[in-house]
Amino acid sequence: MSFIFGARIKPKRQTKPLSAVGDELESLQAHYDEHIEPLTRKFENRRVACLKALRQRIYMSIGIFAAVFFICFLFDSTQRIVFPWPFYLLPLVPLFWWCSRPVTHYQSDVKQQVFPKIFRYFGDDFIFSPTHSMSMTTLKRSKLLPSYDASHFDDYVQGTHRGIEIAINELALTKEVRRDKHSETKTVFNGVMVQLGCHKKFNGHTVVVRSRGSLMNFLSDSFKRLSRVKLEDPRFEKLFDVFSSDQVEARYLLTVSFMERLQELADCFSGQFQCAFYEDKLLIMLSSRENRFELGSIFNGATFEHEFSQINREMRQLFAMIEVLKLDEYTGL
Amino acid sequence: MEGLLLGLGLLVIIAYLWYVSLVKKRNSVREALSGIDVQLKKRSNLVPNILKIAQKFMDHEKSLLTEITELRAQVERSYDIGDASAIQNHLVKAEQLNSKMGQLMLSVENYPELKSDNTMLQAMQTYNEVEAHISAARRFFNASVTELNNAVEIFPGSIIASMANIKVMPFYEADEASKSPVDASDYLK
């Protein structure tokens, strides 16, 4: 509120310090000092300018809204034209869009100029792009996607961790659902798609989906033209259902130890986890409400320490998949 | 009278569906068995290459190499897929070959020249890969056999199975040597 009431906008040099688990802080700090800190002065000035522009636009918008409201009210009270009440709120939509433009521009510039440098911390080949995305046709071929009408990709990350290629993309899938006489948009999936390279070679298609329940399995033994693979581990069978085009290959991929690792991973992500082995890749579909790789509040200084720590935490969580599944080691199991 | 006919009709339909399910399960076992045979064939094709390389260096392991050659020939022999004892015999031989090949791989450790031979290393890697596939095929086979045996042994499936001449199938089991516990002190002398 103090921002609206005209509090002085001044540059901030320190917000939250870097944070990391274990002895990683030193390397995090070194990367920050070398690559990110030099950009902070420029972006802090941009942030201050952006906040000033935002406040100016808010004031102007309040004025415009008040004027429009007054004119409409005048017409309404003289009974020349009767305006329905939502009409009074209509000017708010373009005004809100206009006010948020400087913030959107600032956030987009940070994502394009600062975030790629943050992601370089994980390896020289790491790229971050808010516009690039995975191929939807490739994802569709995984047979994991639920039925949807529209898709929206967000941040994309690609690189190599411990010799394993990794691509991460945020994805939201929506579907138009008819309710009585009107239709509404329902989100059928929101989360992250993680594509990982795999040491084992395979030709078939195997999917591990959340358990459909014993009744469903009793009625149907197939899933999108893949047949059910009954595995030995009852705990795994309780959590997941496995379907494959090749029964032997499915068991070659899902060894007893790999099943244990998948369960461990499912525990980490509260079971919101499905995966598919196809086209020599392992695709993991992680359902989550969390919006990853985002910029903090515009009211925090542009030091990007909080963002760096946050992204590091989120990436470590995703890298844990490679470590838990031991995709980086050739164990033969 | 009509009720009796209806009941009889229903009974015939249920018995037929039960029979269909039993035949499907038997065919699933046969499919799994052929999956094992495909992998065993891959291993059989690989064995002569490994033996050729090994022969150059392993003069003292002649008897083991001969045994492997004989077992390979026995595993390659055709057998009756409808005869449970023939299947069991085939799987036992395959497991014996696996065990002997395991011994050979262990013996390779005693021959540094052979161990560092590139062709041998490559052959061993391929062999391990084939073994992983055999293990997967074995899991599929045993899962199918469990389903079939349950259906054949549990009443009233047992009656329909005996009428249709569908019999229980043997499991593909690990050999006795692999089942015995490992005594670490033997290796830590």
Side-chain angles (χ1 to χ4, degrees):
Chain A
M1 288 308 278
S2 62
F3 169 73
I4 301 278
F5 289 117
R8 205 174 144 231
I9 302 166
K10 49 186 179 184
K12 288 181 188 172
R13 296 299 333 143
Q14 187 79 30
T15 49
K16 288 178 186 169
L18 288 175
S19 63
V21 183
D23 53 358
E24 208 196 349
L25 192 60
E26 214 171 292
S27 58
L28 214 64
Q29 188 68 52
H31 183 84
Y32 177 81
D33 292 343
E34 192 183 345
H35 300 282
I36 301 156
E37 206 274 332
L39 294 169
T40 55
R41 191 175 294 276
K42 175 185 152 192
F43 274 96
E44 183 54 24
N45 291 339
R46 290 251 350 241
R47 188 186 73 86
V48 170
C50 160
L51 281 177
K52 283 179 181 167
L54 172 67
R55 187 156 65 186
Q56 206 175 17
R57 288 184 185 204
I58 288 174
Y59 289 159
M60 286 171 79
S61 298
I62 292 171
I64 293 168
F65 181 70
V68 171
F69 189 87
F70 180 70
I71 292 165
C72 291
F73 183 73
L74 215 63
F75 270 93
D76 204 7
S77 58
T78 53
Q79 299 293 312
R80 283 185 200 161
I81 308 166
V82 180
F83 292 109
W85 70 267
F87 188 83
Y88 289 95
L89 302 176
L90 215 62
L92 283 179
V93 179
L95 287 175
F96 181 79
W97 175 82
W98 182 61
C99 284
S100 63
R101 290 291 287 165
V103 180
T104 319
H105 271 295
Y106 168 75
Q107 286 177 331
S108 150
D109 284 352
V110 170
K111 278 199 165 184
Q112 275 174 5
Q113 292 177 44
V114 183
F115 275 32
K117 290 195 187 296
I118 289 180
F119 277 91
R120 280 285 160 91
Y121 172 69
F122 306 108
D124 287 337
D125 61 343
F126 265 85
I127 55 162
F128 170 86
S129 164
T131 50
H132 192 84
S133 69
M134 286 177 180
S135 148
M136 200 62 201
T137 42
T138 311
L139 292 182
K140 267 187 201 168
R141 285 203 297 271
S142 74
K143 301 194 178 188
L144 280 182
L145 302 188
S147 159
Y148 70 97
D149 293 323
S151 61
H152 172 74
F153 284 104
D154 202 3
D155 304 327
Y156 176 86
V157 181
Q158 187 191 310
T160 311
H161 178 70
R162 295 192 176 201
I164 296 291
E165 282 176 30
I166 180 169
I168 302 158
N169 209 168
E170 287 185 291
L171 174 67
L173 299 173
T174 54
K175 192 173 171 63
E176 292 296 317
V177 185
R178 294 238 6 122
R179 284 224 175 141
D180 299 329
K181 281 180 182 172
H182 61 95
S183 66
E184 58 183 64
T185 309
K186 188 184 165 198
T187 305
V188 286
F189 173 76
N190 191 18
V192 197
M193 306 300 281
V194 184
Q195 207 172 48
L196 299 163
C198 205
H199 273 310
K200 288 184 171 179
K201 292 266 167 258
F202 48 89
N203 306 312
H205 193 133
T206 302
V207 295
V208 179
V209 293
R210 272 195 301 274
S211 179
R212 307 184 302 172
S214 37
L215 180 68
M216 188 65 191
N217 284 332
F218 177 74
L219 295 173
S220 158
D221 239 10
S222 64
F223 173 81
K224 296 180 181 174
R225 279 188 267 168
L226 300 174
S227 40
R228 182 144 183 255
V229 180
K230 289 176 192 164
L231 296 163
E232 304 89 336
D233 189 337
R235 209 165 74 88
F236 184 86
E237 283 280 281
K238 215 173 176 182
L239 282 176
F240 300 109
D241 280 329
V242 180
F243 299 89
S244 180
S245 59
D246 186 330
Q247 293 279 334
V248 175
E249 198 176 80
R251 286 170 172 91
Y252 166 68
L253 294 167
L254 297 166
T255 57
V256 178
S257 11
F258 199 83
M259 282 193 272
E260 290 273 340
R261 290 175 213 150
L262 279 179
Q263 283 176 67
E264 206 180 307
L265 210 56
D267 290 342
C268 295
F269 293 103
S270 349
Q272 305 297 310
F273 166 92
Q274 303 192 99
C275 67
F277 294 87
Y278 73 116
E279 296 167 11
D280 279 335
K281 294 249 186 302
L282 166 60
L283 179 78
I284 295 174
M285 192 170 159
L286 205 62
S287 176
S288 131
R289 282 165 188 241
E290 195 184 335
N291 191 2
R292 286 163 204 263
F293 319 131
E294 285 309 308
L295 194 64
S297 165
I298 183 91
F299 297 105
N300 294 336
T303 58
F304 309 119
E305 286 166 313
H306 167 70
E307 285 78 7
F308 191 18
S309 307
Q310 179 73 15
I311 288 172
N312 183 43
R313 241 189 322 274
E314 287 165 349
M315 286 301 285
R316 294 286 155 216
Q317 200 183 25
L318 297 174
F319 287 154
M321 289 186 186
I322 296 178
E323 282 135 35
V324 172
L325 297 178
K326 295 193 176 166
L327 295 175
D328 54 326
E329 297 168 27
Y330 188 84
T331 58
L333 296 171
Chain B
M1 186 63 187
E2 275 177 5
L4 191 72
L5 277 175
L6 192 72
L8 210 66
L10 264 173
L11 207 69
V12 170
I13 291 170
I14 291 170
Y16 176 71
L17 289 177
W18 214 295
Y19 168 74
V20 168
S21 138
L22 277 169
V23 171
K24 274 188 179 175
K25 285 181 173 115
R26 185 184 61 190
N27 289 345
S28 165
V29 171
R30 285 182 179 170
E31 183 198 344
L33 187 62
S34 73
I36 288 181
D37 282 339
V38 168
Q39 301 306 328
L40 291 179
K41 182 77 192 154
K42 274 191 201 169
R43 184 170 67 181
S44 282
N45 292 342
L46 195 64
V47 167
N49 296 333
I50 294 177
L51 293 183
K52 254 184 219 167
I53 308 163
Q55 257 169 353
K56 288 184 212 163
F57 304 90
M58 299 169 90
D59 286 336
H60 304 293
E61 315 282 349
K62 276 250 160 71
S63 64
L64 179 64
L65 300 183
T66 320
E67 260 183 281
I68 290 174
T69 318
E70 278 168 13
L71 278 170
R72 177 182 170 266
Q74 285 174 21
V75 171
E76 284 223 311
R77 245 175 246 157
S78 62
Y79 62 97
D80 180 7
I81 55 162
D83 182 359
S85 63
I87 294 173
Q88 184 151 31
N89 191 37
H90 174 66
L91 295 178
V92 166
K93 293 286 173 212
E95 198 47 34
Q96 279 174 359
L97 177 61
N98 179 31
S99 165
K100 292 289 167 196
M101 283 303 286
Q103 273 183 40
L104 179 76
M105 294 299 171
L106 268 180
S107 309
V108 169
E109 296 290 320
N110 302 327
Y111 300 86
E113 273 183 72
L114 180 58
K115 213 175 122 184
S116 56
D117 186 90
N118 263 342
T119 338
M120 187 63 180
L121 281 175
Q122 217 169 2
M124 278 168 80
Q125 208 171 5
T126 316
Y127 181 81
N128 287 338
E129 194 77 5
V130 174
E131 274 301 319
H133 275 106
I134 292 177
S135 162
R138 184 217 300 252
R139 283 167 62 205
F140 176 39
F141 176 75
N142 285 346
S144 307
V145 168
T146 307
E147 271 195 38
L148 174 74
N149 290 358
N150 285 345
V152 166
E153 287 175 343
I154 296 168
F155 179 82
S158 50
I159 298 172
I160 301 166
S162 68
M163 281 161 71
N165 199 25
I166 297 173
K167 289 174 186 156
V168 287
M169 288 279 192
F171 287 99
Y172 185 174
E173 287 176 300
D175 68 334
E176 289 307 314
S178 342
K179 283 184 198 166
S180 62
V182 176
D183 188 357
S185 58
D186 291 348
Y187 300 93
L188 300 172
K189 275 173 192 168

